[in-house]
Amino acid sequence: VTGVQTCALPIYTRESKRDLETSVTLFKEGSEWLPNSWKVRNLLAEKYIESGEPSVALSIIEQSLGIAQSPEAFYLQGLAYRDLSALNDSLYAIQEGLSLGMEKNDSLDAPSLLIDLHAGVVRAFPISVYLTIQDSSPGDAVSYFYLAEMYRELWEYELSILDYDNAFTLYSSYKF
């Protein structure tokens, strides 16, 4: 692994099915010609996600992450897991990408994806799970954010505001 890498990705362009198939073919060839290119693998994985093949995309993303730990690869991994309804894995991937500086890349809308994923996860986990995470990792801004969202959905606004404040205080550079 060569360290943290970044590049701009045009996530989810609107292509016809035929254009997607052509793109997949070209990026497959590109990954053969450039076996150490994490960028080409990310682009190929993106096309597989767009084509509705997130499982294939995940194997390609693993290859990309084996070359370089790029925030884009983690973002794509989060999208693929989301499409497979693996919300916990998706959240973990997005959080990994954020830890590598994903929020600095304007082409990746990680905060919006986190909020969308949250809607599914909030319903899957009781408040006690978030409280346990906070007890074990009091510096985890994301768990405060999720708990605030849950309280907001339950109309517990005072508790929600307290946890939003904790999330912002812990991770002031995070763009919610």
Side-chain angles (χ1 to χ4, degrees), residues 103-136:
E103 74 277 359
K104 296 174 186 157
N105 188 330
D106 292 336
S107 68
L108 307 177
D109 193 7
S112 291
L113 179 58
L114 275 176
I115 290 168
D116 291 344
L117 290 170
H118 161 74
V121 172
V122 162
R123 290 170 188 86
F125 295 105
I127 289 175
S128 62
V129 170
Y130 293 103
L131 293 173
T132 302
I133 292 169
Q134 285 178 349
D135 288 343
S136 64

Side-chain angles (χ1 to χ4, degrees), residues 3-49:
V4 176
Q5 304 291 321
T6 61
C7 76
L9 278 177
I11 302 296
Y12 281 101
T13 57
R14 300 289 181 221
E15 295 182 63
S16 69
K17 184 175 179 171
R18 184 173 178 204
D19 289 340
L20 279 172
E21 290 170 359
T22 301
S23 294
V24 166
T25 300
L26 291 174
F27 287 126
K28 273 175 133 175
E29 290 174 6
S31 67
E32 292 169 9
W33 296 334
L34 301 166
N36 293 320
S37 175
W38 57 273
K39 291 179 184 181
V40 172
R41 279 175 176 65
N42 286 351
L43 292 168
L44 177 58
E46 178 187 359
K47 295 305 171 189
Y48 274 117
I49 292 168

Side-chain angles (χ1 to χ4, degrees), residues 35-106:
N36 293 320
S37 175
W38 57 273
K39 291 179 184 181
V40 172
R41 279 175 176 65
N42 286 351
L43 292 168
L44 177 58
E46 178 187 359
K47 295 305 171 189
Y48 274 117
I49 292 168
E50 285 183 50
S51 299
E53 299 182 60
S55 296
V56 176
L58 283 172
S59 67
I60 293 164
I61 293 164
E62 289 303 319
Q63 293 171 16
S64 174
L65 289 170
I67 298 167
Q69 299 282 304
S70 71
E72 294 82 6
F74 283 109
Y75 180 79
L76 291 168
Q77 190 177 50
L79 292 177
Y81 280 130
R82 178 203 60 195
D83 291 352
L84 292 169
S85 298
L87 298 181
N88 286 331
D89 292 331
S90 182
L91 286 168
Y92 176 80
I94 296 300
Q95 289 171 350
E96 284 296 304
L98 285 169
S99 74
L100 295 175
M102 184 167 38
E103 74 277 359
K104 296 174 186 157
N105 188 330
D106 292 336

